[in-house]
Amino acid sequence: MTIKGAYRIVPNKIPDLRGSFFEAFRAETLTEIIGYPFTVGQANYSVSRRNTMRGIHSTFLPPGQAKLVTCVRGAVLDVAVDLRVGSPTFGMYDLTPQDEESGTAVYLADGIGHAFLTLTDNACMNYLCSEAYVPGTMIEVNPLDPDIGIPWGLTEPPVMSEKDASAPTLAEAVSQGLLPTYEECLAHYAALGKRSADA
């Protein structure tokens, strides 16, 4: 993926006469890739009708909330957006089609925003989160911000929450001081690695 700290995980599916099997997540492998342990503090599911748009969401530092996101039913267009002010890829996005057949997942480090558009009815997303949700710490950026320019491929207005529809643009979020800096995020990642080394 283009954005450092965002990773696409494509499993190796093993088919047999019963169906198939694959490893969705192995802690030691992900730790090796990202440089610090990904511990699961909370697991969430969302179920959405077709043409539902959720995001762009991230979390203040602290506490942060890295995510491993997988579509476990239906199909979605998943999007990662770099919200780290000063990052070489600030404001850029990566697209990942996800569906229940592929098992493809996306890991998002703290400071990377997440959004998706459902392509089917009854689409279900699973989120493994590094920290439990803390009310009042969520960052929202408008997923239809033309300056970000995500190619959603919409043929009709999306179904959105009022909060997402009225979220600030990326420029407004910067001017309001809502976004973390790249340096803050790098320091946070380093602290996670040091905490693991000291344990």
Side-chain angles (χ1 to χ4, degrees):
M1 295 177 75
T2 303
I3 300 169
K4 184 178 180 181
Y7 298 92
R8 188 177 295 117
I9 301 168
V10 181
N12 178 30
K13 301 186 81 169
I14 303 169
D16 66 17
L17 57 85
R18 300 164 296 176
S20 63
F21 173 87
F22 64 90
E23 287 187 359
F25 164 65
R26 183 178 284 219
E28 63 199 40
T29 303
L30 186 57
T31 295
E32 185 176 313
I33 292 169
I34 65 177
Y36 51 85
F38 174 68
T39 58
V40 178
Q42 181 171 321
N44 304 325
Y45 289 88
S46 67
V47 179
S48 308
R49 59 187 280 196
R50 188 190 68 80
N51 201 45
T52 292
M53 185 176 291
R54 294 181 185 257
I56 303 166
H57 298 154
S58 189
T59 308
F60 291 126
L61 284 176
Q65 192 184 60
K67 299 180 181 78
L68 183 65
V69 187
T70 313
C71 180
V72 295
R73 185 175 61 232
V76 306
L77 177 62
D78 195 80
V79 184
V81 181
D82 193 343
L83 301 180
R84 302 167 298 186
V85 177
S87 165
T89 54
F90 176 70
M92 295 177 63
Y93 58 82
D94 279 309
L95 307 177
T96 302
Q98 290 196 39
D99 61 56
E100 61 188 89
E101 293 300 321
S102 71
T104 298
V106 172
Y107 173 79
L108 304 162
D110 288 303
I112 300 174
H114 177 247
F116 64 87
L117 176 71
T118 56
L119 307 177
T120 60
D121 277 323
N122 210 28
C124 182
M125 295 291 280
N126 168 242
Y127 314 73
L128 298 181
C129 304
S130 64
E131 302 288 341
Y133 169 68
V134 177
T137 62
M138 185 173 283
I139 297 169
E140 291 103 5
V141 173
N142 197 305
L144 298 175
D145 180 354
D147 288 338
I148 300 174
I150 298 169
W152 292 110
L154 295 168
T155 58
E156 57 186 306
V159 178
M160 301 173 70
S161 70
E162 178 57 37
K163 182 179 279 192
D164 286 347
S166 62
T169 64
L170 187 63
E172 290 168 342
V174 171
S175 68
Q176 294 169 22
L178 300 177
L179 306 181
T181 67
Y182 189 48
E183 291 72 22
E184 288 170 338
C185 290
L186 292 179
H188 177 70
Y189 310 151
L192 292 173
K194 185 176 186 306
R195 186 187 312 163
S196 170
D198 292 344

